[in-house]
Amino acid sequence: MRDVMTPAIRLDRRRFLLTGLGATAGAALALGGVTTTVAAAAGTQWRGRTSANGWRVLDSAPAHRVEGTGGVHFDAADGDVATMLTHVVRRFHYEIATLAPGEVTGHATSHTVAAPYESNYLSGTAIAIRPLLYPARAQGGFFPHELVVVRDILADLEGVVKWGGDLRPAKESHFQIDVKPGDPALRRVAAKLRGWDIKPDEGAGTIEATTPARMKAAKALAARQR
């Protein structure tokens, strides 16, 4: 029988199935091993003064409004870090899914982490986009054409930002600064993005992720970051 569902219906159905699978897996764990389930949910306490990516843990971080998104904002370290993470959110909003306020989270003050990379929220150097839809340990949340955009965003940022889908355990909502403070690549790429912002034909909203050159660059970076 021919598939007559629209892309939007297929997307909703897939996400419903993913959510259902997650609930089923949780129920199975509850029946077969309560201790394991509780331990995974509780996480561990991050006690370092720096996060896993080498940045200083912050008591607070400023809010950054993402232009062109209708009020989406997130808390993160200021300066080049915010420039990089804002680019991720803008391209996600324009090319993958329209975001609403509250769907992007950033700096956190809770030191309970499910994996070391979650400590990067403490330093304001990581964000989660729709974390309820793309939770930790769940994979396959993006369609192939959406993954092309994710990989292209990372290529824009030249390896300075890493995607949680390439981490273990995977967390597809997660994006983090993947260089140490003072790394020249961070300054250079952030300056490139600011240059794009003042040109009407460059930057988020103008990019075609499927050109051969861009796909080649994205594939090469993915091979290095995985």
Side-chain angles (χ1 to χ4, degrees):
M1 180 181 294
R2 186 168 63 91
D3 183 0
V4 296
M5 289 191 294
T6 66
I9 293 173
R10 284 196 294 271
L11 179 61
D12 289 342
R13 181 173 180 270
R14 180 178 184 180
R15 287 174 177 167
F16 172 80
L17 290 172
L18 286 170
T19 303
L21 286 170
T24 302
L29 284 171
L31 291 172
V34 174
T35 302
T36 301
T37 304
V38 172
T44 59
Q45 289 294 303
W46 187 264
R47 303 190 184 281
R49 294 184 178 181
T50 59
S51 55
N53 60 358
W55 291 74
R56 181 173 59 87
V57 170
L58 303 175
D59 293 330
S60 62
H64 300 277
R65 182 178 176 275
V66 184
E67 184 180 355
T69 61
V72 173
H73 65 276
F74 61 91
D75 296 347
D78 223 339
D80 293 340
V81 169
T83 298
M84 305 292 282
L85 298 178
T86 296
H87 183 75
V88 174
V89 176
R90 287 184 71 194
R91 285 203 59 190
F92 192 105
H93 176 82
Y94 292 152
E95 300 173 57
I96 296 178
T98 301
L99 298 171
E103 289 192 313
V104 181
T105 60
H107 177 259
T109 56
S110 171
H111 285 244
T112 301
V113 298
Y117 62 75
E118 288 194 342
S119 68
N120 299 328
Y121 300 127
L122 296 170
S123 60
T125 58
I127 56 171
I129 301 177
R130 291 183 164 179
L132 297 180
L133 189 59
Y134 310 111
R137 296 180 174 82
Q139 293 179 276
F142 290 100
F143 284 102
H145 70 279
E146 295 172 332
L147 281 175
V148 168
V149 176
V150 170
R151 292 293 179 192
D152 189 66
I153 294 170
L154 299 174
D156 267 353
L157 304 178
E158 301 180 28
V160 174
V161 168
K162 191 164 188 174
W163 176 47
D166 291 331
L167 298 170
R168 295 295 177 269
K171 184 177 180 180
E172 294 185 339
S173 58
H174 178 89
F175 295 85
Q176 67 179 44
I177 299 297
D178 205 44
V179 296
K180 298 287 192 293
D183 191 298
L186 175 60
R187 293 193 298 271
R188 175 174 51 78
V189 178
K192 176 184 75 172
L193 298 179
R194 293 188 188 105
W196 286 356
D197 284 344
I198 61 176
K199 297 178 181 178
D201 58 343
E202 293 187 1
T206 68
I207 294 169
E208 176 50 67
T210 58
T211 64
R214 294 189 70 93
M215 293 191 73
K216 181 179 179 180
K219 184 177 180 180
L221 178 62
R224 297 198 303 271
Q225 289 193 317
R226 282 173 172 159

